[in-house]
Amino acid sequence: FAGEPVPTLEAAIALLVERGMGCNLEIKPCPGREMETAQAVAAILDAHWPPGYGRLLVSSFAPAAMARLRDMAPSVPRGLLVWDRTATMLEEAAALGCVSIHCAHQHLDAAQARAVRAAGYRLLVYTVNDPALAARLIGWGCDTIISDTGDAPAALPGGQPGGSRAGPIAGPITDPTASAAARTAAAAAP
């Protein structure tokens, strides 16, 4: 990869769409630049993500960035990334209008996983490189396993080589403005 430039977000979007792929776009703003980073991402998505294409989820550890994205692009599905603030994740996700919560496996237990799913959110868990741990997390109700290797997710039913075992990003839970009760009802629908 020597000499290969880092692609722009616009170029990455074009390639994803060309190949029929989805995207979990993580916003990683510099401290103090959460608002302008979210504004830039919202503007690029508005200009380059095809209307009606779906398959997009924007996530971040930065609640301020997610709040700005919510205000600028309310129809873009959002996911709250949490490391160890699991005690407040449901309230934060609700306030930010998120459709999913993304947890570090080290700080997630079965009861928390059930609570996330019962509240109507999709549950994504990172970074899981052990197939046995991935299977246990799926047993807890996790929708997506994010991995550095293809081993853990590929060993699961529905797993894909290359690092994920995912349900659809924009399945029945696509309206970020819907209430948790509405999201729960949509998730339970056939």
Side-chain angles (χ1 to χ4, degrees), residues 69-161:
L69 185 68
R70 175 202 61 211
D71 296 344
M72 292 191 68
S75 65
V76 171
R78 293 170 300 284
L80 178 65
L81 275 155
V82 295
W83 173 252
D84 61 358
R85 54 182 211 275
T86 54
T88 60
M89 66 185 168
L90 294 176
E91 293 79 14
E92 285 184 66
L96 296 169
C98 293
V99 299
S100 60
I101 296 176
H102 311 198
C103 297
H105 73 85
Q106 301 92 322
H107 300 288
L108 181 70
D109 62 36
Q112 292 166 324
R114 284 190 301 272
V116 168
R117 296 297 291 136
Y121 297 101
R122 292 200 179 269
L123 178 58
L124 290 71
V125 182
Y126 64 92
T127 301
V128 181
N129 296 326
D130 174 48
L133 175 58
R136 183 169 68 241
L137 292 165
I138 294 299
W140 290 356
C142 298
D143 296 295
T144 300
I145 298 295
I146 300 167
S147 180
D148 291 328
T149 71
D151 298 344
L156 298 168
Q160 301 170 17

Side-chain angles (χ1 to χ4, degrees), residues 44-81:
I44 291 169
L45 292 175
D46 184 56
H48 297 279
W49 197 266
Y53 182 69
R55 301 181 183 185
L56 174 66
L57 177 67
V58 179
S59 59
S60 184
F61 284 102
M66 297 308 297
R68 186 67 176 152
L69 185 68
R70 175 202 61 211
D71 296 344
M72 292 191 68
S75 65
V76 171
R78 293 170 300 284
L80 178 65
L81 275 155

